[in-house]
Amino acid sequence: MGSVWLRFELNEAAAANAYTITSANDFSERDPIDWSLKGSNDGTNWTILDSRAGELFDQRFQLRVFRISNKVAYKFYQLDITRVRSGGTMQMADWSVNREEVK
């Protein structure tokens, strides 16, 4: 599998401090395992906000939350998936970028 990317463009820049990925319904082999989350204000120049390697989803439709230390507001967020568990097909049910309240 080559690299796959997913991108959000927000109406207004916002500082995200968490993101979620939800595994899909069928084969765990299609789950993303290595990725990076990036932020940009122009859609061309990107800053790496988080990188993960060897992440596993134990269940189907499993929602996982990844917290990041980001205080910069970005208009674009991009998830670059560089490897799946095995094979050449990637699948996931959902991806979101969030601003969580800090307690």
Side-chain angles (χ1 to χ4, degrees):
M1 179 195 97
S3 180
V4 173
W5 59 266
L6 306 164
R7 183 180 296 169
F8 280 134
E9 179 179 358
L10 305 174
N11 290 329
E12 295 181 19
N17 62 2
Y19 64 100
T20 67
I21 296 177
T22 304
S23 60
N25 64 325
D26 54 9
F27 304 108
S28 61
E29 293 82 13
R30 297 178 182 178
D31 291 346
I33 193 168
D34 296 350
W35 64 79
S36 61
L37 178 70
K38 299 175 181 178
S40 173
N41 280 309
D42 61 8
T44 301
N45 299 296
W46 296 92
T47 300
I48 296 174
L49 306 174
D50 190 45
S51 291
R52 303 285 172 146
E55 294 290 336
L56 297 176
F57 292 84
D58 298 325
Q59 302 169 18
R60 303 296 83 217
F61 290 123
Q62 179 183 4
L63 180 136
R64 294 190 57 201
V65 178
F66 302 93
R67 289 175 176 76
I68 56 175
S69 296
N70 175 50
K71 296 184 190 280
V72 178
Y74 293 104
K75 185 167 175 64
F76 298 89
Y77 287 91
Q78 181 169 301
L79 184 68
D80 289 333
I81 300 166
T82 54
R83 187 168 64 114
V84 296
R85 197 165 185 168
S86 69
T89 304
M90 191 282 296
Q91 181 177 338
M92 61 187 198
D94 192 37
W95 168 55
S96 69
V97 179
N98 307 291
R99 175 74 187 156
E100 294 186 337
E101 293 294 322
V102 178
K103 296 179 183 180

XYZ file of all heavy atoms in Angstrom:
837
model
N 0.840 -1.175 0.000
C 0.000 0.000 0.000
C 0.881 1.232 0.000
O 1.829 1.321 0.763
C -0.877 0.005 1.263
C -1.771 1.226 1.332
S -2.504 1.519 2.947
C -1.368 2.722 3.596
N 0.567 2.188 -0.827
C 1.232 3.480 -0.782
C 0.623 4.326 0.322
O -0.306 3.927 1.004
N 1.132 5.493 0.489
C 0.615 6.415 1.495
C -0.789 6.877 1.114
O -1.099 7.092 -0.048
C 1.564 7.606 1.612
O 1.097 8.504 2.572
N -1.653 7.022 2.127
C -3.020 7.515 1.953
C -3.173 8.711 2.880
O -2.697 8.679 4.012
C -4.051 6.430 2.344
C -5.463 6.983 2.339
C -3.940 5.225 1.444
N -3.810 9.778 2.404
C -4.048 10.905 3.298
C -5.504 11.322 3.268
O -6.193 11.161 2.277
C -3.119 12.078 3.006
C -3.193 12.647 1.621
C -2.398 12.316 0.569
C -4.106 13.636 1.130
N -2.755 13.034 -0.536
C -3.797 13.868 -0.229
C -5.144 14.370 1.700
C -4.498 14.782 -1.000
C -5.840 15.273 0.925
C -5.506 15.470 -0.411
N -5.930 11.851 4.416
C -7.279 12.388 4.596
C -7.103 13.802 5.126
O -6.256 14.048 5.977
C -8.060 11.559 5.614
C -8.126 10.060 5.334
C -8.567 9.317 6.572
C -9.076 9.795 4.192
N -7.925 14.732 4.662
C -7.730 16.133 5.033
C -9.052 16.796 5.410
O -10.066 16.605 4.748
C -7.109 16.880 3.858
C -6.790 18.337 4.149
C -6.181 19.027 2.951
N -4.893 18.432 2.631
C -4.225 18.681 1.505
N -4.714 19.507 0.601
N -3.082 18.096 1.279
N -9.023 17.585 6.498
C -10.111 18.473 6.892
C -9.715 19.897 6.543
O -8.580 20.300 6.775
C -10.313 18.480 8.419
C -11.082 17.332 8.979
C -10.610 16.675 10.097
C -12.284 16.936 8.445
C -11.311 15.626 10.658
C -12.995 15.889 8.999
C -12.501 15.237 10.107
N -10.662 20.680 6.034
C -10.483 22.116 5.922
C -11.587 22.763 6.746
O -12.773 22.570 6.486
C -10.568 22.609 4.477
C -10.400 24.109 4.370
C -10.455 24.642 2.950
O -10.582 23.839 2.006
O -10.396 25.870 2.783
N -11.187 23.516 7.766
C -12.137 24.169 8.652
C -12.548 25.523 8.096
O -11.795 26.148 7.341
C -11.507 24.359 10.036
C -10.959 23.110 10.707
C -10.245 23.470 12.003
C -12.069 22.101 10.968
N -13.725 26.005 8.480
C -14.156 27.348 8.096
C -13.260 28.400 8.734
O -12.966 29.416 8.122
C -15.616 27.584 8.493
C -16.556 26.757 7.659
O -16.290 26.466 6.502
N -17.667 26.366 8.251
N -12.866 28.174 9.974
C -11.962 29.060 10.700
C -10.895 28.209 11.372
O -11.188 27.114 11.859
C -12.713 29.842 11.778
C -13.738 30.806 11.246
C -14.437 31.568 12.357
O -13.905 31.617 13.481
O -15.519 32.104 12.096
N -9.680 28.721 11.431
C -8.591 27.996 12.086
C -8.933 27.733 13.549
O -9.550 28.572 14.213
C -7.297 28.796 11.979
N -8.560 26.545 14.035
C -8.798 26.153 15.425
C -7.645 25.289 15.894
O -7.045 24.554 15.104
C -10.114 25.390 15.544
N -7.343 25.373 17.184
C -6.259 24.582 17.770
C -6.825 23.267 18.292
O -7.550 23.244 19.283
C -5.586 25.356 18.892
N -6.510 22.176 17.619
C -6.952 20.854 18.043
C -5.943 20.280 19.036
O -4.740 20.449 18.869
C -7.080 19.924 16.843
N -6.437 19.619 20.085
C -5.536 18.969 21.020
C -5.828 17.477 21.171
O -5.324 16.818 22.073
C -5.542 19.680 22.380
C -6.903 19.643 23.054
O -7.852 19.057 22.551
N -6.994 20.293 24.196
N -6.636 16.949 20.251
C -6.918 15.512 20.236
C -7.473 15.137 18.866
O -7.971 15.986 18.132
C -7.921 15.136 21.324
N -7.375 13.857 18.545
C -8.022 13.332 17.347
C -8.425 11.891 17.624
O -7.932 11.259 18.559
C -7.132 13.447 16.104
C -5.859 12.648 16.118
C -5.758 11.429 15.442
C -4.724 13.107 16.782
C -4.574 10.698 15.436
C -3.544 12.401 16.775
C -3.472 11.193 16.104
O -2.295 10.472 16.103
N -9.373 11.404 16.849
C -9.845 10.027 17.011
C -9.733 9.279 15.692
O -9.828 9.878 14.620
C -11.318 9.970 17.488
O -12.159 10.477 16.453
C -11.525 10.768 18.764
N -9.539 7.993 15.810
C -9.628 7.073 14.675
C -10.491 5.908 15.137
O -10.301 5.388 16.242
C -8.247 6.575 14.214
C -7.408 7.745 13.699
C -8.393 5.485 13.139
C -5.992 7.357 13.296
N -11.434 5.501 14.297
C -12.303 4.370 14.592
C -12.060 3.280 13.555
O -12.119 3.544 12.352
C -13.789 4.783 14.555
O -13.976 5.871 15.464
C -14.691 3.627 14.944
N -11.760 2.076 14.037
C -11.540 0.955 13.119
C -12.845 0.602 12.405
O -13.937 0.894 12.895
C -10.999 -0.267 13.875
O -11.919 -0.684 14.869
N -12.710 -0.031 11.261
C -13.882 -0.377 10.451
C -14.489 -1.708 10.908
O -14.054 -2.307 11.887
C -13.492 -0.433 8.984
N -15.482 -2.154 10.156
C -16.286 -3.300 10.568
C -15.734 -4.670 10.200
O -16.164 -5.665 10.751
C -17.682 -3.182 9.966
C -17.647 -3.254 8.447
O -16.713 -2.768 7.821
N -18.659 -3.844 7.853
N -14.785 -4.740 9.263
C -14.455 -6.088 8.808
C -13.046 -6.532 9.177
O -12.803 -6.958 10.279
C -14.768 -6.272 7.320
C -14.108 -5.224 6.432
O -13.276 -4.447 6.925
O -14.416 -5.195 5.244
N -12.088 -6.442 8.307
C -10.805 -7.112 8.493
C -9.780 -6.231 9.194
O -9.479 -5.127 8.741
C -10.258 -7.550 7.132
C -11.203 -8.427 6.369
C -11.864 -7.945 5.256
C -11.453 -9.716 6.789
C -12.755 -8.742 4.553
C -12.332 -10.529 6.105
C -12.997 -10.039 4.979
N -9.206 -6.742 10.284
C -8.200 -5.991 11.030
C -6.946 -5.728 10.192
O -6.215 -4.780 10.454
C -7.825 -6.730 12.315
O -7.263 -7.998 12.035
N -6.717 -6.543 9.164
C -5.556 -6.346 8.285
C -5.597 -4.984 7.589
O -4.572 -4.445 7.204
C -5.482 -7.448 7.225
C -5.184 -8.820 7.785
C -6.428 -9.527 8.332
O -7.578 -9.093 8.071
O -6.235 -10.519 9.063
N -6.777 -4.407 7.436
C -6.940 -3.128 6.747
C -6.760 -1.916 7.669
O -6.772 -0.784 7.210
C -8.321 -3.063 6.101
C -8.531 -4.115 5.038
C -9.923 -4.032 4.477
N -10.134 -5.066 3.483
C -11.269 -5.262 2.838
N -12.299 -4.463 3.075
N -11.377 -6.216 1.955
N -6.621 -2.175 8.977
C -6.489 -1.080 9.943
C -5.200 -0.303 9.721
O -4.141 -0.892 9.484
C -6.451 -1.619 11.376
C -7.768 -2.191 11.842
O -8.793 -1.950 11.185
O -7.752 -2.873 12.887
N -5.260 1.029 9.861
C -4.014 1.806 9.847
C -3.174 1.429 11.062
O -3.716 1.160 12.138
C -4.489 3.254 9.918
C -5.888 3.207 10.387
C -6.433 1.868 10.053
N -1.862 1.394 10.887
C -0.968 1.035 11.983
C 0.110 2.106 12.202
O 0.541 2.338 13.317
C -0.362 -0.374 11.734
C 0.314 -0.921 12.968
C 0.564 -0.395 10.569
C 0.676 -2.400 12.859
N 0.528 2.789 11.125
C 1.498 3.892 11.198
C 0.891 5.116 10.521
O 0.353 5.010 9.420
C 2.802 3.564 10.455
C 3.580 2.408 11.036
O 3.251 1.926 12.145
O 4.529 1.961 10.363
N 1.004 6.290 11.166
C 0.470 7.521 10.575
C 1.079 8.737 11.247
O 1.738 8.636 12.280
C -1.048 7.568 10.681
C -1.568 7.623 12.091
C -1.634 8.720 12.905
C -2.090 6.539 12.855
N -2.179 8.389 14.115
C -2.458 7.046 14.116
C -2.292 5.191 12.595
C -3.022 6.255 15.114
C -2.841 4.411 13.589
C -3.202 4.934 14.827
N 0.815 9.885 10.644
C 1.159 11.167 11.263
C 0.001 12.137 11.041
O -0.700 12.063 10.030
C 2.464 11.735 10.703
O 2.359 11.971 9.331
N -0.192 13.006 12.013
C -1.190 14.065 11.922
C -0.440 15.371 11.702
O 0.538 15.654 12.399
C -2.011 14.157 13.209
C -3.052 15.279 13.228
C -4.195 14.974 12.266
C -3.564 15.518 14.635
N -0.895 16.153 10.728
C -0.231 17.404 10.381
C -1.236 18.546 10.386
O -2.428 18.337 10.170
C 0.392 17.309 8.984
C 1.442 16.219 8.871
C 1.949 16.083 7.452
C 2.970 14.967 7.355
N 3.433 14.776 5.989
N -0.730 19.762 10.610
C -1.553 20.956 10.559
C -0.959 21.958 9.586
O 0.256 21.996 9.385
N -1.826 22.781 8.954
C -1.383 23.781 7.993
C -2.391 24.924 7.954
O -3.575 24.720 8.217
C -1.264 23.162 6.599
O -0.984 24.135 5.620
N -1.921 26.096 7.607
C -2.837 27.218 7.405
C -3.020 27.572 5.940
O -3.904 28.347 5.596
C -2.383 28.439 8.212
C -2.814 28.296 9.649
O -3.974 28.028 9.928
N -1.884 28.444 10.571
N -2.199 26.980 5.060
C -2.324 27.273 3.630
C -2.555 26.022 2.780
O -2.739 26.123 1.578
C -1.091 28.032 3.131
C 0.209 27.262 3.284
O 0.181 26.053 3.637
O 1.262 27.873 3.052
N -2.549 24.833 3.399
C -2.748 23.596 2.651
C -1.525 23.149 1.873
O -1.579 22.151 1.155
N -0.407 23.852 2.020
C 0.833 23.513 1.310
C 1.969 23.212 2.278
O 2.681 22.228 2.107
C 1.249 24.680 0.385
O 0.186 24.919 -0.543
C 2.520 24.364 -0.373
N 2.143 24.063 3.269
C 3.214 23.905 4.257
C 2.639 23.261 5.510
O 1.697 23.803 6.107
C 3.823 25.269 4.597
C 4.420 25.926 3.373
O 5.364 25.417 2.790
N 3.838 27.049 2.952
N 3.190 22.102 5.886
C 2.620 21.288 6.954
C 3.562 21.186 8.142
O 4.772 21.100 7.984
C 2.305 19.885 6.428
C 1.251 19.924 5.378
C 1.433 20.020 4.033
C -0.149 19.926 5.575
N 0.226 20.072 3.389
C -0.766 20.015 4.314
C -0.959 19.856 6.712
C -2.149 20.030 4.156
C -2.328 19.873 6.546
C -2.916 19.954 5.280
N 2.968 21.147 9.347
C 3.686 20.916 10.597
C 3.213 19.590 11.165
O 2.002 19.362 11.300
C 3.382 22.041 11.613
O 3.796 23.277 11.049
C 4.089 21.804 12.927
N 4.146 18.700 11.503
C 3.780 17.415 12.102
C 3.386 17.655 13.555
O 4.152 18.209 14.335
C 4.924 16.396 12.003
C 5.214 16.075 10.536
C 4.576 15.122 12.781
C 6.428 15.193 10.315
N 2.173 17.254 13.908
C 1.643 17.422 15.253
C 1.735 16.145 16.074
O 1.794 16.197 17.301
C 0.184 17.883 15.193
C -0.083 19.137 14.363
C -1.571 19.402 14.274
C 0.663 20.324 14.958
N 1.733 14.990 15.399
C 1.795 13.700 16.089
C 2.187 12.633 15.077
O 1.761 12.682 13.925
C 0.431 13.355 16.700
C 0.480 12.161 17.634
O 1.417 12.096 18.459
O -0.418 11.307 17.550
N 2.982 11.677 15.518
C 3.343 10.511 14.688
C 3.171 9.258 15.527
O 3.537 9.247 16.709
C 4.791 10.600 14.210
O 4.935 11.632 13.278
N 2.630 8.236 14.922
C 2.395 6.958 15.606
C 2.913 5.819 14.742
O 2.819 5.861 13.523
C 0.903 6.735 15.862
C 0.222 7.821 16.668
C 0.576 7.731 18.121
N 0.074 8.889 18.842
C -0.352 8.841 20.087
N -0.339 7.706 20.757
N -0.760 9.941 20.680
N 3.434 4.782 15.403
C 3.912 3.584 14.710
C 3.515 2.358 15.519
O 3.621 2.357 16.750
C 5.423 3.632 14.531
N 3.045 1.354 14.821
C 2.694 0.093 15.469
C 1.427 0.135 16.301
O 1.245 -0.685 17.198
N 0.517 1.055 15.998
C -0.744 1.142 16.739
C -1.682 0.022 16.289
O -1.815 -0.241 15.098
C -1.413 2.492 16.509
C -0.646 3.658 17.068
C -0.646 3.718 18.587
O -1.574 3.159 19.219
O 0.279 4.334 19.139
N -2.329 -0.631 17.250
C -3.243 -1.731 16.934
C -4.640 -1.434 17.463
O -4.801 -0.854 18.529
C -2.743 -3.039 17.554
C -1.400 -3.551 17.047
C -0.992 -4.792 17.824
C -1.453 -3.829 15.559
N -5.631 -1.852 16.700
C -7.025 -1.802 17.116
C -7.425 -3.227 17.478
O -7.314 -4.136 16.647
C -7.908 -1.260 15.988
C -7.642 0.194 15.695
C -6.604 0.575 14.853
C -8.421 1.174 16.275
C -6.347 1.904 14.587
C -8.177 2.519 16.017
C -7.140 2.886 15.175
N -7.888 -3.426 18.709
C -8.218 -4.765 19.201
C -9.617 -5.218 18.831
O -9.927 -6.399 18.938
C -8.074 -4.805 20.728
C -6.651 -4.533 21.177
O -5.711 -4.940 20.475
O -6.493 -3.896 22.240
N -10.471 -4.265 18.439
C -11.862 -4.585 18.156
C -12.324 -3.870 16.900
O -11.731 -2.904 16.469
C -12.755 -4.143 19.323
C -12.398 -4.750 20.643
C -13.145 -4.065 21.779
O -14.147 -3.384 21.569
N -12.666 -4.237 22.987
N -13.420 -4.346 16.333
C -14.060 -3.685 15.200
C -14.879 -2.521 15.746
O -15.468 -2.621 16.819
C -14.961 -4.650 14.426
C -14.262 -5.907 13.900
C -13.164 -5.634 12.868
N -11.903 -5.286 13.522
C -11.023 -4.378 13.073
N -11.235 -3.701 11.983
N -9.907 -4.132 13.728
N -14.914 -1.433 15.017
C -15.571 -0.180 15.415
C -15.015 0.352 16.740
O -15.730 0.979 17.510
C -17.096 -0.329 15.486
C -17.750 -0.495 14.148
C -18.531 -1.605 13.884
C -17.584 0.452 13.150
C -19.151 -1.761 12.646
C -18.201 0.301 11.913
C -18.974 -0.811 11.660
N -13.737 0.097 16.984
C -13.089 0.609 18.191
C -12.654 2.056 17.961
O -11.875 2.343 17.061
C -11.872 -0.234 18.553
C -11.151 0.264 19.782
C -9.898 -0.527 20.093
O -9.501 -1.431 19.349
N -9.254 -0.204 21.198
N -13.169 2.958 18.792
C -12.794 4.359 18.734
C -11.629 4.586 19.692
O -11.718 4.254 20.867
C -13.970 5.252 19.122
C -13.659 6.748 19.090
C -14.788 7.491 18.431
C -13.399 7.286 20.471
N -10.530 5.130 19.170
C -9.366 5.449 19.992
C -9.119 6.948 19.947
O -9.226 7.566 18.890
C -8.136 4.697 19.499
C -8.305 3.180 19.689
C -7.054 2.410 19.446
N -5.975 2.885 20.302
C -4.685 2.684 20.026
N -4.325 2.045 18.931
N -3.749 3.143 20.817
N -8.809 7.523 21.102
C -8.529 8.948 21.236
C -7.026 9.125 21.402
O -6.403 8.453 22.222
C -9.274 9.546 22.448
C -8.937 11.021 22.599
C -10.768 9.331 22.324
N -6.464 10.056 20.627
C -5.045 10.382 20.699
C -4.933 11.858 21.071
O -5.356 12.722 20.304
C -4.355 10.092 19.363
C -4.490 8.659 18.938
C -5.529 8.262 18.114
C -3.592 7.706 19.387
C -5.671 6.937 17.724
C -3.728 6.372 19.020
C -4.763 5.989 18.185
N -4.405 12.136 22.247
C -4.243 13.515 22.710
C -2.890 14.055 22.263
O -1.898 13.319 22.273
C -4.399 13.580 24.214
C -5.846 13.351 24.606
C -6.084 13.286 26.099
N -7.498 13.149 26.383
C -8.192 12.017 26.230
N -7.612 10.935 25.785
N -9.481 11.970 26.509
N -2.881 15.319 21.858
C -1.649 15.947 21.383
C -1.453 17.287 22.089
O -2.410 17.891 22.559
C -1.666 16.144 19.847
C -2.886 16.965 19.408
C -1.641 14.803 19.131
C -2.913 17.294 17.930
N -0.209 17.708 22.166
C 0.121 19.010 22.762
C 0.219 20.031 21.642
O 1.283 20.261 21.088
C 1.450 18.930 23.513
O 1.344 18.041 24.581
N -0.904 20.611 21.300
C -0.945 21.600 20.226
C -1.723 22.816 20.702
O -2.846 22.692 21.167
C -1.619 21.023 18.971
C -1.784 22.071 17.902
O -0.847 22.778 17.561
N -2.982 22.188 17.375
N -1.116 23.992 20.566
C -1.795 25.234 20.937
C -1.948 26.162 19.737
O -2.439 27.271 19.870
C -1.007 25.927 22.046
C -0.986 25.103 23.312
C -0.290 25.836 24.416
C -0.047 25.008 25.565
N -0.501 24.537 26.533
N -1.510 25.712 18.552
C -1.562 26.526 17.341
C -2.852 26.241 16.588
O -3.224 25.086 16.376
C -0.337 26.242 16.438
C -0.418 27.051 15.156
C 0.955 26.516 17.180
N -3.527 27.289 16.175
C -4.750 27.145 15.379
C -4.372 26.907 13.919
O -3.585 27.660 13.348
C -5.609 28.391 15.503
N -4.924 25.849 13.335
C -4.702 25.519 11.928
C -6.033 25.467 11.204
O -7.049 25.062 11.765
C -4.000 24.168 11.780
C -2.587 24.158 12.285
C -2.264 23.560 13.499
C -1.566 24.741 11.547
C -0.963 23.547 13.963
C -0.257 24.724 12.000
C 0.028 24.132 13.212
O 1.326 24.129 13.670
N -6.025 25.839 9.941
C -7.216 25.757 9.092
C -7.370 24.372 8.487
O -8.468 23.898 8.239
C -7.146 26.818 7.991
C -8.397 26.880 7.134
C -8.422 28.127 6.294
C -9.572 28.169 5.344
N -10.885 28.204 5.938
N -6.242 23.693 8.241
C -6.228 22.354 7.647
C -5.607 21.359 8.625
O -4.601 21.662 9.268
C -5.380 22.329 6.374
C -5.865 23.222 5.278
C -5.435 24.535 5.196
C -6.738 22.750 4.307
C -5.855 25.366 4.178
C -7.174 23.569 3.284
C -6.737 24.885 3.216
N -6.184 20.172 8.687
C -5.592 19.044 9.401
C -5.557 17.872 8.438
O -6.519 17.632 7.707
C -6.403 18.694 10.654
C -6.218 19.711 11.750
C -7.058 20.811 11.865
C -5.168 19.587 12.654
C -6.880 21.750 12.857
C -4.979 20.527 13.660
C -5.835 21.601 13.753
O -5.647 22.541 14.735
N -4.430 17.164 8.439
C -4.264 16.049 7.508
C -3.718 14.837 8.250
O -2.773 14.950 9.032
C -3.305 16.449 6.386
C -3.092 15.348 5.362
C -2.374 15.857 4.144
O -2.858 16.772 3.480
N -1.229 15.280 3.825
N -4.315 13.680 7.993
C -3.854 12.411 8.529
C -3.183 11.652 7.395
O -3.830 11.321 6.401
C -5.036 11.606 9.083
C -4.693 10.301 9.769
C -3.933 10.555 11.078
C -5.968 9.504 10.060
N -1.876 11.419 7.528
C -1.107 10.653 6.539
C -0.907 9.238 7.064
O -0.191 9.046 8.048
C 0.268 11.285 6.288
C 0.188 12.587 5.531
O -0.769 12.778 4.777
O 1.098 13.418 5.706
N -1.546 8.274 6.421
C -1.427 6.869 6.817
C -0.356 6.236 5.927
O -0.487 6.214 4.708
C -2.769 6.137 6.676
C -3.810 6.813 7.576
C -2.623 4.655 7.006
C -5.224 6.431 7.292
N 0.695 5.739 6.552
C 1.825 5.208 5.795
C 1.909 3.688 5.804
O 2.656 3.117 5.010
C 3.150 5.791 6.329
O 3.229 5.544 7.733
C 3.219 7.293 6.069
N 1.143 3.029 6.700
C 1.173 1.567 6.714
C -0.094 1.026 7.344
O -0.629 1.620 8.281
C 2.392 1.071 7.510
C 2.617 -0.422 7.450
C 3.981 -0.829 8.005
N 4.132 -0.545 9.417
C 4.262 -1.483 10.368
N 4.255 -2.762 10.047
N 4.408 -1.126 11.627
N -0.580 -0.089 6.801
C -1.706 -0.822 7.389
C -1.157 -2.086 8.038
O 0.003 -2.444 7.848
C -2.795 -1.161 6.349
C -3.437 0.107 5.803
C -2.251 -2.019 5.227
N -2.023 -2.763 8.780
C -1.585 -3.956 9.521
C -0.962 -4.991 8.597
O 0.072 -5.568 8.904
C -2.769 -4.524 10.287
C -2.405 -5.456 11.373
C -3.587 -5.668 12.284
N -3.213 -6.493 13.409
C -3.965 -6.653 14.464
N -5.116 -6.039 14.553
N -3.569 -7.426 15.440
N -1.580 -5.259 7.466
C -0.988 -6.141 6.440
C -1.781 -5.978 5.149
O -2.918 -5.534 5.151
C -0.966 -7.605 6.885
O -2.267 -8.137 6.954
N -1.148 -6.314 4.044
C -1.810 -6.206 2.757
C -1.717 -4.818 2.168
O -0.929 -3.984 2.607
N -2.558 -4.575 1.181
C -2.473 -3.328 0.440
C -3.737 -2.488 0.456
O -3.868 -1.564 -0.332
N -4.686 -2.795 1.344
C -5.942 -2.059 1.393
C -6.122 -1.428 2.769
O -5.907 -2.073 3.780
C -7.132 -3.006 1.113
O -6.919 -3.649 -0.131
C -8.438 -2.260 1.073
N -6.523 -0.149 2.794
C -6.760 0.552 4.048
C -8.250 0.807 4.202
O -8.944 1.114 3.238
C -6.022 1.892 4.042
C -5.983 2.613 5.401
S -7.451 3.489 5.956
C -7.612 4.772 4.738
N -8.717 0.658 5.433
C -10.110 0.960 5.732
C -10.213 1.393 7.186
O -9.545 0.845 8.054
C -10.983 -0.275 5.507
C -12.444 -0.041 5.781
C -13.288 -1.265 5.480
O -12.897 -2.125 4.715
N -14.437 -1.344 6.109
N -11.023 2.414 7.433
C -11.376 2.798 8.791
C -12.776 3.377 8.755
O -13.252 3.817 7.705
C -10.362 3.763 9.391
C -10.202 5.061 8.683
S -8.827 5.948 9.431
C -9.181 7.572 8.837
N -13.447 3.377 9.895
C -14.833 3.839 9.939
C -14.935 5.351 10.083
O -15.839 5.961 9.522
C -15.571 3.160 11.088
N -13.999 5.970 10.843
C -14.143 7.396 11.109
C -12.815 7.981 11.559
O -11.963 7.279 12.106
C -15.199 7.611 12.199
C -15.628 9.064 12.346
O -15.731 9.768 11.319
O -15.859 9.489 13.481
N -12.688 9.292 11.330
C -11.549 10.076 11.807
C -12.079 11.448 12.160
O -12.866 12.032 11.412
C -10.487 10.185 10.704
C -9.419 11.200 10.977
C -8.623 11.257 12.085
C -9.029 12.287 10.150
N -7.751 12.326 11.976
C -7.984 12.978 10.800
C -9.460 12.763 8.912
C -7.375 14.096 10.255
C -8.842 13.872 8.384
C -7.804 14.523 9.043
N -11.676 11.971 13.320
C -12.090 13.315 13.712
C -10.930 14.037 14.376
O -10.024 13.425 14.914
C -13.304 13.274 14.648
O -12.915 12.739 15.904
N -10.979 15.351 14.304
C -10.021 16.224 14.978
C -10.830 17.034 15.977
O -11.894 17.565 15.635
C -9.291 17.135 13.966
C -8.316 18.050 14.679
C -8.566 16.293 12.927
N -10.341 17.134 17.218
C -11.150 17.697 18.296
C -10.410 18.719 19.121
O -9.187 18.691 19.231
C -11.596 16.570 19.255
C -12.259 15.445 18.527
O -13.343 15.600 18.010
N -11.606 14.301 18.490
N -11.177 19.558 19.730
C -10.688 20.487 20.752
C -11.353 20.071 22.045
O -12.558 20.254 22.222
C -11.058 21.931 20.396
C -10.701 22.920 21.459
C -9.216 23.154 21.499
N -8.898 23.999 22.651
C -7.736 24.012 23.221
N -6.762 23.242 22.771
N -7.509 24.774 24.237
N -10.580 19.438 22.942
C -11.129 18.979 24.214
C -10.878 20.016 25.297
O -9.869 20.705 25.280
C -10.478 17.655 24.630
C -10.812 16.512 23.705
C -10.266 15.191 24.223
O -9.310 15.200 25.008
O -10.813 14.156 23.827
N -11.784 20.095 26.237
C -11.620 20.970 27.389
C -10.505 20.408 28.274
O -10.472 19.204 28.536
C -12.905 21.060 28.195
C -14.029 21.757 27.469
C -13.750 23.225 27.226
O -13.157 23.881 28.100
O -14.114 23.719 26.143
N -9.593 21.257 28.706
C -8.510 20.839 29.587
C -8.975 21.087 31.015
O -9.375 22.191 31.374
C -7.219 21.629 29.291
C -6.123 21.233 30.237
C -6.814 21.420 27.846
N -8.921 20.024 31.824
C -9.404 20.127 33.224
C -8.232 20.135 34.176
O -7.217 19.642 33.964
C -10.331 18.978 33.548
C -11.586 19.016 32.694
C -12.485 17.858 33.017
C -13.691 17.914 32.080
N -14.613 16.863 32.279
